[in-house]
Amino acid sequence: MSHTITIKTQVRDPVAIRSACQRLNLPEPVVGRSQLFSTEATGWLVRLPAWHYPVVCDIATGQVQYDHFEGRWGDPAHLDRFLQAYAVEKATLEARRQGYSVAEHSLSDGSIKITVGVHT
């Protein structure tokens, strides 16, 4: 039996944040406070390629704060890739914690299909 699920990502798991950064060959994320042009944000700081400011993940709220000035200070595609990698890593971690097998397949449109094997 097959089920399709759409996931709205909230970034709350430091292990999955680290794993997503490793997957994308990004610098190790650190907890800290960062200036985002006119505001400051505290959380897990993720450095995306060629972004002027880091992405700040607040694991208490699940929210992600960033300032890329409509793409002038960083390509939004890098943020999309990070959020996708985070969702894949988090789903994989949770499935494996429950003893399920996980298979991952990259699709031609850039999306990633995760198949979770549930053994009954």
Side-chain angles (χ1 to χ4, degrees):
M1 178 180 287
S2 176
H3 298 283
T4 301
I5 299 170
T6 301
I7 299 172
K8 181 178 177 184
T9 305
Q10 291 187 355
V11 180
R12 294 183 179 269
D13 186 337
V15 173
I17 293 170
R18 281 192 183 103
S19 296
C21 288
Q22 289 172 350
R23 172 187 282 261
L24 298 173
N25 295 313
L26 298 175
E28 180 77 14
V30 296
V31 175
R33 185 169 190 83
S34 181
Q35 184 72 34
L36 300 177
F37 188 67
S38 63
T39 64
E40 286 189 347
T42 302
W44 284 86
L45 309 179
V46 175
R47 299 274 176 195
L48 298 177
W51 274 50
H52 190 74
Y53 299 106
V55 170
V56 182
C57 304
D58 182 342
I59 63 171
T61 65
Q63 299 300 305
V64 176
Q65 296 179 48
Y66 57 90
D67 190 345
H68 62 61
F69 191 41
E70 297 177 354
R72 293 182 185 106
W73 295 340
D75 185 347
H78 292 295
L79 176 60
D80 293 342
R81 279 191 286 279
F82 169 73
L83 293 174
Q84 179 187 50
Y86 174 85
V88 168
E89 294 295 335
K90 181 62 176 167
T92 299
L93 284 167
E94 291 302 320
R96 288 189 176 145
R97 275 190 195 132
Q98 295 179 36
Y100 302 134
S101 62
V102 179
E104 179 181 320
H105 306 282
S106 296
L107 304 179
S108 60
D109 66 358
S111 61
I112 298 173
K113 178 182 178 181
I114 298 173
T115 304
V116 177
V118 178
H119 309 287
T120 57

